[in-house]
Amino acid sequence: MSVFMTVTSEGLGFDAWLTAIVLILVLVGLVRDWLGADVLLTAGVTTLVLAGVLEPGPAFAGFANEGVLTIAGLFVVARAVEESGALDRLARWLLGMQTTEQGALIRTMVATAGMSTVLNNTPVVAMLAPTVRRWARQHGISPKRLLIPVSYAAILGGVCTLIGTSTNLVVAGMMRNADMAEFGMFEITVVGLPTAVVGIAFMVLIGRHLLPNDLEPLPSEGAVQGRELAGESAPVEAGAGRPLVVLAMVVAMIVVPFVAPVSLLTSVFATALVMLFTGLISVRSARESLHLEVLITVAMAFGMGKALADTGLASMVAQVLVIPAAPYGTLALFAAVFLATSIFTEFITNNAAAVLMFPIAQAAAVQVGVDPRPLVILIAVAASCSFATPIGYQTNMMVAQLGGYRARDFLRIGVPMNLLTLVVGTLAAWLAWG
């Protein structure tokens, strides 16, 4: 823990001030969408290397992090699932049995959350959202009544397991780098599951009344940009057995690390390679599935987090945002960490928020004298609970474009969701580890 420099009466040094300036510029750029998170973070970390704040090795070590590599492998596996048509068929079956908005809302949110516990939530939304929009139009219901709930359900399902979202894998990777035992497949479930259950119940009973209810013209199918926003166009060339084979391989990928001395990274890579060699996904599709902007963003965020820790800046931020809550007990400390993470993730990205908060939570734990493990697991949940803005989470950005939402639509329903998940997540963590 020596990397955390206590802020003395002499204040921060030049390296810390430079890191703070670079971080502020990166955050402003992220909020204003100057160049993209990957370019901004790369520029920030490179600046710190050129200035001598970071050595090149530690600065760019994120590219070798197991969490980042696991995310890359899961992109390939998720694309294979997408191309098999399994999710689209499931969506059609779910919605085909419904004739009411509330029935569609319940079944869609539960199914989306369930799938997002074992599949990265971004491709789940990419496949389900266009089908949900089409069903709503056919039944004279505004798609805006259902698309935000799809995104929220994917987020809530993703916080229930290690592989539900890339954020969890990133935090697990940072735990490994910090010589902490990374959390297992279901360790996060004690916080994520209660949060998901209460969040979905709130959306079904109360939250749906806060959603917009207009049938104004939405973006046409042809106007929706990108493969992820037009999941219905994904090729489904194989027969009826292909979806079952692909899903069986996904189940095996998840189970193998539990029953054999094989890491999740190895299991994911092995599954992706078997899918390639058996023709379940083409080499071209596998390459296209690797979202470089996401991988670079996460890898560069590790470098920024390293600078925050090494310069003492994380310690200072901890003293300002988190430490004041410590005298009021563990519950207050958990709430402060959750709130700070939630605020960050609304304005930057979920992964960047997690990497930013990780050293802050570690510094706070050292200064207060508590186990940092519950704090960093709580960060994984809080970093994904981005409901109030369309820019904080990728699935929010996807449905915002697909449904033609305004920023205020997310604020109206998202702020209550943020407060609710703050209360439930904090209480669940306190009951489990407090």
Side-chain angles (χ1 to χ4, degrees), residues 98-333:
Q98 293 301 317
T99 57
T100 66
E101 176 192 313
Q102 187 172 19
L105 180 66
I106 294 172
R107 292 177 69 96
T108 301
M109 288 197 75
V110 171
T112 302
M115 287 186 285
S116 294
T117 63
V118 293
L119 289 173
N120 188 279
N121 49 24
T122 300
V124 170
V125 172
M127 285 298 297
L128 291 181
T131 305
V132 169
R133 182 176 73 161
R134 197 162 51 245
W135 179 90
R137 282 176 163 174
Q138 291 170 351
H139 288 76
I141 297 171
S142 171
K144 293 183 179 181
R145 306 286 293 169
L146 297 174
L147 289 176
I148 278 181
V150 167
S151 177
Y152 286 4
I155 291 172
L156 293 169
V159 299
C160 291
T161 67
L162 172 63
I163 64 172
T165 174
S166 59
T167 307
N168 299 345
L169 295 168
V170 168
V171 172
M174 288 188 290
M175 294 173 75
R176 190 184 308 108
N177 288 349
D179 296 324
M180 298 169 59
E182 62 181 87
F183 63 85
M185 181 69 75
F186 299 109
E187 189 173 357
I188 195 174
T189 309
V190 296
V191 178
L193 184 59
T195 303
V197 170
V198 174
I200 292 173
F202 171 79
M203 285 298 300
V204 171
L205 299 174
I206 300 172
R208 66 190 182 92
H209 299 294
L210 302 175
L211 292 166
N213 189 24
D214 58 81
L215 282 170
E216 65 186 39
L218 298 173
S220 65
E221 299 292 339
V224 178
Q225 299 293 317
R227 179 187 186 89
E228 286 187 336
L229 297 179
E232 65 265 47
S233 65
V236 183
E237 301 171 356
R242 180 178 176 182
L244 295 178
V245 172
V246 171
L247 292 178
M249 294 182 68
V250 172
V251 172
M253 176 189 76
I254 297 168
V255 171
V256 165
F258 285 99
V259 299
V262 175
S263 69
L264 178 61
L265 172 63
T266 303
S267 181
V268 169
F269 268 50
T271 303
L273 287 171
V274 171
M275 288 177 168
L276 277 167
F277 287 126
T278 56
L280 292 172
I281 184 173
S282 68
V283 174
R284 179 178 179 179
S285 289
R287 288 172 177 160
E288 291 175 349
S289 73
L290 299 174
H291 299 286
L292 289 180
E293 70 279 6
V294 175
L295 298 175
I296 292 172
T297 296
V298 175
M300 289 294 103
F302 275 96
M304 189 64 69
K306 176 71 172 171
L308 285 172
D310 287 356
T311 62
L313 193 59
S315 181
M316 186 204 72
V317 175
Q319 289 180 6
V320 173
L321 295 180
V322 179
I323 299 299
Y328 300 97
T330 307
L331 181 61
L333 180 62

Side-chain angles (χ1 to χ4, degrees), residues 246-425:
V246 171
L247 292 178
M249 294 182 68
V250 172
V251 172
M253 176 189 76
I254 297 168
V255 171
V256 165
F258 285 99
V259 299
V262 175
S263 69
L264 178 61
L265 172 63
T266 303
S267 181
V268 169
F269 268 50
T271 303
L273 287 171
V274 171
M275 288 177 168
L276 277 167
F277 287 126
T278 56
L280 292 172
I281 184 173
S282 68
V283 174
R284 179 178 179 179
S285 289
R287 288 172 177 160
E288 291 175 349
S289 73
L290 299 174
H291 299 286
L292 289 180
E293 70 279 6
V294 175
L295 298 175
I296 292 172
T297 296
V298 175
M300 289 294 103
F302 275 96
M304 189 64 69
K306 176 71 172 171
L308 285 172
D310 287 356
T311 62
L313 193 59
S315 181
M316 186 204 72
V317 175
Q319 289 180 6
V320 173
L321 295 180
V322 179
I323 299 299
Y328 300 97
T330 307
L331 181 61
L333 180 62
F334 284 178
V337 169
F338 197 110
L339 178 61
T341 307
S342 181
I343 291 172
F344 281 136
T345 200
E346 291 294 0
F347 295 101
I348 53 178
T349 64
N350 50 319
N351 290 326
V355 175
L356 176 65
M357 281 299 300
F358 187 92
I360 294 172
Q362 268 201 304
V366 170
Q367 293 177 37
V368 176
V370 299
D371 183 6
R373 187 176 189 83
L375 294 180
V376 298
I377 294 177
L378 197 60
I379 284 172
V381 175
S384 288
C385 288
S386 171
F387 304 107
T389 68
I391 64 173
Y393 204 89
Q394 190 169 359
T395 59
N396 285 348
M397 289 187 280
M398 291 165 63
V399 298
Q401 296 178 55
L402 195 63
Y405 290 106
R406 301 179 179 89
R408 65 173 179 264
D409 296 329
F410 281 88
L411 277 173
R412 188 185 302 114
I413 181 63
V415 170
M417 278 289 289
N418 276 0
L419 294 175
L420 181 66
T421 53
L422 165 66
V423 172
V424 176

